[in-house]
Amino acid sequence: MRSEERMQAERSILCVDVGNTETSFGFFRSSRLLASWTGTTPDCLTSDEAFSLVCDALTAMERKEHMPPGEFSVEDTVLSSVVPQHTAAWQTALRQVADKRPLTIGPGIKTGIRMRYKDPAEVGADRIADLAAVLADYNPPAVVVDLGTTTNFEVIDADGVFLGGVIAPGMVLGARSLAREAAKLPIVEVVAPRHVVGTTTREAVQAGVVLGEIARIDGLLDLIQKETDAVYTVIVTGSQAKAVSSLLSHEAISDETLTLRGLARLYDLNRP
């Protein structure tokens, strides 16, 4: 391998996925995910605050993986953001981290994804990353269920074409909406109760929010399979992927780092 090819293969990349509720970080070296970390997305953000969050995330990942300080030195960065008011702050912060402009996922980048979507520019950056990872790591047909502020379904046919999907309110959003709009209902932790029929108001809300979401996901998967006349590999991603996939009646794969790996894949397709 030539020296410039070896340097590219060993490049250290930081991928940042900014969602409405959570922001995830993934550190890659030689295209391999070495560590990941997820924190809460703040309501307001300056570039200095974003830079501080990056530094904190890198330190946390080093400690999590028992690495010495400074081991996760960043040479390049990738940004996916579905929070437009935060995007510029993250771009400025990531430019400080790697001394170069981050690859920002959006219209105009190479994805390798064939689409049947009427307006591909409407597809969120996180959904593009999910699709890139699925095409690299799984055999279609496949359905991705991405759990976040929204619950997104992405449907890929046997030829690897993105057919479209479903977007529904997520569990955390549902729980917050209930507490905000119904004065006597408490804010609950989004965990599955032991029984469907709750014997307290808190258990009843958890059953409605969590088990209701499980039923909705199962039902939508049934409708997708019926409408397209296909049987799909189901991949669940997001911070609650493991818990949700274990409760579904459909066989499902839990893959919490799918989006981050998709960002690394998009980096490979777009950086020289």
Side-chain angles (χ1 to χ4, degrees), residues 158-239:
D159 296 321
V161 177
F162 175 47
L163 301 181
V166 179
I167 301 175
M171 288 185 289
V172 173
L173 182 60
R176 288 176 179 174
S177 296
L178 278 175
R180 183 177 64 249
E181 301 298 332
K184 290 189 175 182
L185 293 183
I187 297 176
V188 300
E189 185 180 3
V190 181
V191 295
R194 294 183 179 181
H195 306 285
V196 176
V197 180
T199 56
T200 67
T201 299
R202 186 172 298 276
E203 289 177 352
V205 172
Q206 287 177 324
V209 170
V210 181
L211 300 183
E213 180 72 356
I214 299 301
R216 179 168 63 180
I217 292 172
D218 273 325
L220 285 170
L221 289 172
D222 286 338
L223 291 173
I224 289 168
Q225 291 182 347
K226 182 178 179 180
E227 182 172 280
T228 58
D229 193 27
V231 177
Y232 297 91
T233 298
V234 178
I235 304 140
V236 184
T237 192
S239 61

Side-chain angles (χ1 to χ4, degrees), residues 58-141:
L58 289 169
T59 299
M61 287 189 285
E62 287 170 345
R63 290 176 178 173
K64 183 178 177 181
E65 300 301 324
H66 306 290
M67 296 289 187
E71 177 66 21
F72 288 167
S73 177
V74 178
E75 297 173 85
D76 214 340
T77 59
V78 185
L79 173 65
S80 162
S81 173
V82 297
V83 188
Q85 65 270 28
H86 288 185
T87 301
W90 280 109
Q91 288 174 324
T92 299
L94 292 176
R95 187 162 191 162
Q96 289 179 274
V97 171
D99 198 27
K100 64 180 71 172
R101 183 166 52 90
L103 172 67
T104 302
I105 308 306
I109 71 162
K110 299 175 184 177
T111 65
I113 301 166
R114 291 179 292 162
M115 292 196 179
R116 199 176 293 175
Y117 220 71
K118 291 182 178 179
D119 185 358
E122 289 183 350
V123 183
D126 53 344
R127 300 180 78 193
I128 294 293
D130 287 345
L131 295 170
V134 168
L135 292 175
D137 297 340
Y138 295 94
N139 294 320

Side-chain angles (χ1 to χ4, degrees), residues 24-45:
S24 296
F25 302 81
F27 184 86
F28 290 79
R29 185 173 291 144
S30 303
S31 299
R32 185 167 66 93
L33 179 61
L34 298 186
S36 62
W37 187 82
T38 298
T40 302
T41 300
D43 292 332
C44 300
L45 187 74

Side-chain angles (χ1 to χ4, degrees), residues 17 22 24-26 33 36-38 64 130 133 138 144-147 235-245 253-262:
D17 176 35
E22 295 180 338
S24 296
F25 302 81
L33 179 61
S36 62
W37 187 82
T38 298
K64 183 178 177 181
D130 287 345
Y138 295 94
V144 178
V145 181
D146 192 335
L147 307 169
I235 304 140
V236 184
T237 192
S239 61
Q240 297 163 318
K242 187 175 181 180
V244 168
S245 61
I253 299 168
S254 172
D255 190 340
E256 294 183 354
T257 62
L258 183 78
T259 308
L260 291 172
R261 297 200 319 277

